[in-house]
Amino acid sequence: VDIDLTSDTEPTRVLVVDDEETVLDIINEFLTLEGYVVELVGSARSAIDRIKTEPFDVILTDLKMPDMDGIELIRRIRDWNPDPVLVMMTGFGTVETAIEAMKLGAFDYILKPFKPDDVVTVLERALEKRRLRRENITLRETLNFYELSEALSSGMNLDEQLRLLIDMVHTNFGADYVSIDIQ
Protein backbone atom coordinates (compact mmCIF):
# COMPACT_ATOMS: atom_id res chain seq x y z
CA VAL A 1 0.00 0.00 0.00
CA ASP A 2 1.42 3.36 -1.01
CA ILE A 3 0.55 6.09 1.44
CA ASP A 4 1.21 9.74 0.80
CA LEU A 5 3.02 10.86 3.95
CA THR A 6 2.19 14.49 3.34
CA SER A 7 -0.91 16.33 4.33
CA ASP A 8 -1.29 19.70 2.66
CA THR A 9 2.29 19.30 1.37
CA GLU A 10 3.66 19.21 4.90
CA PRO A 11 5.69 16.18 5.98
CA THR A 12 4.17 13.92 8.61
CA ARG A 13 5.27 14.96 12.08
CA VAL A 14 5.88 12.20 14.62
CA LEU A 15 6.46 12.68 18.34
CA VAL A 16 8.22 9.72 19.94
CA VAL A 17 7.92 9.43 23.73
CA ASP A 18 10.22 6.95 25.49
CA ASP A 19 12.49 7.10 28.52
CA GLU A 20 15.09 4.86 26.84
CA GLU A 21 17.53 6.91 24.78
CA THR A 22 18.55 3.90 22.68
CA VAL A 23 14.94 3.31 21.61
CA LEU A 24 14.56 7.00 20.73
CA ASP A 25 17.73 6.91 18.62
CA ILE A 26 16.68 3.77 16.72
CA ILE A 27 13.16 5.03 15.99
CA ASN A 28 14.47 8.44 14.99
CA GLU A 29 16.90 6.89 12.53
CA PHE A 30 14.48 4.65 10.64
CA LEU A 31 11.51 7.05 10.67
CA THR A 32 13.67 9.89 9.40
CA LEU A 33 14.87 7.63 6.57
CA GLU A 34 11.20 6.96 5.74
CA GLY A 35 10.57 10.69 5.33
CA TYR A 36 8.91 11.50 8.63
CA VAL A 37 9.82 14.59 10.66
CA VAL A 38 10.62 13.14 14.07
CA GLU A 39 10.69 14.85 17.47
CA LEU A 40 11.98 12.94 20.50
CA VAL A 41 11.12 13.38 24.16
CA GLY A 42 12.19 11.30 27.14
CA SER A 43 9.12 11.65 29.34
CA ALA A 44 5.35 11.94 29.22
CA ARG A 45 5.46 15.37 30.86
CA SER A 46 7.83 16.62 28.16
CA ALA A 47 5.44 15.19 25.57
CA ILE A 48 2.53 17.11 27.08
CA ASP A 49 4.52 20.35 26.97
CA ARG A 50 5.46 19.73 23.33
CA ILE A 51 1.93 18.74 22.28
CA LYS A 52 0.50 21.94 23.74
CA THR A 53 2.76 24.08 21.54
CA GLU A 54 3.26 22.03 18.35
CA PRO A 55 0.97 19.95 16.13
CA PHE A 56 1.82 16.29 15.55
CA ASP A 57 0.25 13.83 13.15
CA VAL A 58 1.41 10.75 15.06
CA ILE A 59 2.39 10.19 18.68
CA LEU A 60 4.29 6.98 19.37
CA THR A 61 4.53 6.44 23.12
CA ASP A 62 6.04 3.90 25.46
CA LEU A 63 3.80 2.36 28.12
CA LYS A 64 6.20 2.24 31.09
CA MET A 65 7.79 5.59 31.96
CA PRO A 66 8.82 6.91 35.35
CA ASP A 67 6.81 10.15 35.46
CA MET A 68 3.53 9.01 33.89
CA ASP A 69 2.58 5.86 32.01
CA GLY A 70 1.56 5.81 28.36
CA ILE A 71 -2.08 5.05 29.20
CA GLU A 72 -2.40 8.27 31.20
CA LEU A 73 -0.58 10.18 28.46
CA ILE A 74 -3.05 8.90 25.85
CA ARG A 75 -5.95 9.86 28.13
CA ARG A 76 -4.63 13.42 28.50
CA ILE A 77 -3.88 13.82 24.79
CA ARG A 78 -7.41 12.72 23.86
CA ASP A 79 -8.84 15.25 26.33
CA TRP A 80 -7.09 18.04 24.36
CA ASN A 81 -6.94 16.84 20.81
CA PRO A 82 -8.66 13.93 19.05
CA ASP A 83 -6.67 14.36 15.85
CA PRO A 84 -3.20 12.80 16.31
CA VAL A 85 -2.79 9.11 15.64
CA LEU A 86 -1.69 7.43 18.87
CA VAL A 87 0.38 4.25 18.92
CA MET A 88 1.44 2.50 22.13
CA MET A 89 4.68 0.53 22.33
CA THR A 90 5.93 -1.57 25.19
CA GLY A 91 8.13 -4.43 26.24
CA PHE A 92 5.65 -5.33 28.99
CA GLY A 93 2.53 -5.97 26.97
CA THR A 94 -0.60 -7.52 28.38
CA VAL A 95 -3.97 -8.00 26.78
CA GLU A 96 -5.49 -5.69 29.42
CA THR A 97 -3.16 -2.76 28.68
CA ALA A 98 -3.63 -3.23 24.93
CA ILE A 99 -7.42 -3.15 25.34
CA GLU A 100 -7.27 -0.12 27.62
CA ALA A 101 -5.01 1.76 25.17
CA MET A 102 -7.36 0.98 22.27
CA LYS A 103 -10.43 2.03 24.27
CA LEU A 104 -8.76 5.37 24.96
CA GLY A 105 -8.13 5.91 21.26
CA ALA A 106 -4.78 4.33 20.48
CA PHE A 107 -4.69 3.05 16.92
CA ASP A 108 -2.40 0.11 17.64
CA TYR A 109 -0.11 -1.52 20.15
CA ILE A 110 3.46 -2.51 19.23
CA LEU A 111 5.51 -4.94 21.31
CA LYS A 112 9.22 -4.36 21.88
CA PRO A 113 11.56 -5.47 20.50
CA PHE A 114 10.03 -4.50 17.18
CA LYS A 115 11.18 -4.49 13.60
CA PRO A 116 11.42 -1.04 11.99
CA ASP A 117 9.26 -2.21 9.07
CA ASP A 118 6.50 -3.21 11.50
CA VAL A 119 6.44 0.28 13.03
CA VAL A 120 6.38 1.93 9.60
CA THR A 121 3.53 -0.35 8.50
CA VAL A 122 1.49 0.51 11.60
CA LEU A 123 2.07 4.24 11.05
CA GLU A 124 1.09 4.02 7.37
CA ARG A 125 -2.14 2.17 8.23
CA ALA A 126 -2.91 4.65 10.99
CA LEU A 127 -2.33 7.65 8.74
CA GLU A 128 -4.55 6.13 6.06
CA LYS A 129 -7.33 5.65 8.62
CA ARG A 130 -6.88 9.27 9.74
CA ARG A 131 -7.01 10.49 6.13
CA LEU A 132 -10.22 8.54 5.51
CA ARG A 133 -11.76 9.86 8.74
CA ARG A 134 -10.98 13.44 7.71
CA GLU A 135 -12.32 12.82 4.21
CA ASN A 136 -15.52 11.37 5.66
CA ILE A 137 -16.00 14.43 7.87
CA THR A 138 -15.46 16.72 4.89
CA LEU A 139 -17.97 14.79 2.80
CA ARG A 140 -20.57 14.90 5.58
CA GLU A 141 -20.08 18.66 5.98
CA THR A 142 -20.39 19.17 2.23
CA LEU A 143 -23.59 17.13 2.14
CA ASN A 144 -25.02 19.13 5.05
CA PHE A 145 -24.24 22.43 3.31
CA TYR A 146 -25.80 21.14 0.11
CA GLU A 147 -28.94 20.13 1.99
CA LEU A 148 -29.03 23.53 3.67
CA SER A 149 -28.69 25.39 0.37
CA GLU A 150 -31.48 23.25 -1.12
CA ALA A 151 -33.71 24.00 1.85
CA LEU A 152 -32.94 27.72 1.78
CA SER A 153 -33.80 27.93 -1.91
CA SER A 154 -37.05 26.00 -1.43
CA GLY A 155 -40.35 27.42 -0.33
CA MET A 156 -39.59 26.64 3.32
CA ASN A 157 -40.70 29.37 5.71
CA LEU A 158 -38.14 31.43 7.65
CA ASP A 159 -38.69 29.64 10.98
CA GLU A 160 -38.04 26.25 9.35
CA GLN A 161 -34.94 27.60 7.58
CA LEU A 162 -33.54 28.98 10.83
CA ARG A 163 -34.27 25.71 12.67
CA LEU A 164 -32.40 23.82 9.92
CA LEU A 165 -29.47 26.25 10.14
CA ILE A 166 -29.30 25.88 13.92
CA ASP A 167 -29.41 22.08 13.67
CA MET A 168 -26.63 22.07 11.08
CA VAL A 169 -24.36 24.34 13.14
CA HIS A 170 -25.04 22.26 16.25
CA THR A 171 -24.24 18.98 14.45
CA ASN A 172 -21.22 20.11 12.43
CA PHE A 173 -19.48 22.14 15.10
CA GLY A 174 -20.46 20.20 18.21
CA ALA A 175 -21.86 23.34 19.77
CA ASP A 176 -23.47 23.05 23.18
CA TYR A 177 -25.77 25.95 22.43
CA VAL A 178 -26.71 27.74 19.20
CA SER A 179 -28.84 30.83 18.87
CA ILE A 180 -29.65 33.35 16.18
CA ASP A 181 -30.28 36.95 17.07
CA ILE A 182 -32.41 38.66 14.42
CA GLN A 183 -32.54 42.42 14.76
Side-chain angles (χ1 to χ4, degrees):
V1 175
D2 284 339
I3 305 295
D4 181 9
L5 296 179
T6 60
S7 60
D8 302 327
T9 69
E10 295 292 321
T12 300
R13 294 177 43 87
V14 180
L15 178 65
V16 183
V17 187
D18 200 306
D19 59 329
E20 295 178 49
E21 198 167 317
T22 306
V23 172
L24 291 174
D25 291 341
I26 291 168
I27 293 173
N28 183 44
E29 186 175 322
F30 71 78
L31 288 182
T32 301
L33 287 172
E34 290 290 327
Y36 294 93
V37 173
V38 181
E39 302 260 346
L40 308 171
V41 292
S43 71
R45 297 213 189 280
S46 296
I48 290 170
D49 291 343
R50 192 56 93 26
I51 293 163
K52 287 180 178 178
T53 61
E54 296 179 49
F56 291 95
D57 302 298
V58 179
I59 300 170
L60 183 61
T61 182
D62 191 19
L63 174 63
K64 300 272 187 200
M65 294 179 285
D67 61 338
M68 176 189 315
D69 70 18
I71 296 290
E72 181 61 24
L73 178 59
I74 287 174
R75 184 176 287 116
R76 290 186 185 194
I77 291 169
R78 282 296 177 241
D79 286 345
W80 301 314
N81 188 350
D83 194 46
V85 174
L86 300 171
V87 177
M88 177 73 68
M89 58 183 175
T90 185
F92 307 99
T94 66
V95 172
E96 291 80 20
T97 56
I99 290 170
E100 187 174 0
M102 304 296 249
K103 282 182 179 178
L104 290 172
F107 174 77
D108 209 339
Y109 194 85
I110 300 171
L111 292 175
K112 294 177 187 176
F114 47 76
K115 295 177 186 168
D117 289 344
D118 293 341
V119 175
V120 171
T121 299
V122 167
L123 295 185
E124 287 175 348
R125 283 190 359 254
L127 289 167
E128 177 64 8
K129 180 181 178 187
R130 179 178 178 230
R131 185 192 66 75
L132 290 171
R133 184 181 72 225
R134 285 179 168 181
E135 188 175 290
N136 190 14
I137 289 168
T138 301
L139 289 172
R140 269 189 280 139
E141 290 170 351
T142 302
L143 178 62
N144 287 339
F145 283 114
Y146 174 76
E147 290 172 351
L148 178 65
S149 79
E150 288 290 309
L152 294 176
S153 65
S154 73
M156 188 182 283
N157 72 42
L158 181 60
D159 286 343
E160 291 171 334
Q161 289 177 349
L162 293 175
R163 169 59 42 208
L164 184 63
L165 180 61
I166 288 170
D167 289 344
M168 190 184 104
V169 168
H170 182 265
T171 300
N172 284 314
F173 298 102
D176 293 328
Y177 180 78
V178 179
S179 70
I180 296 176
D181 184 18
I182 300 176
Q183 298 195 18

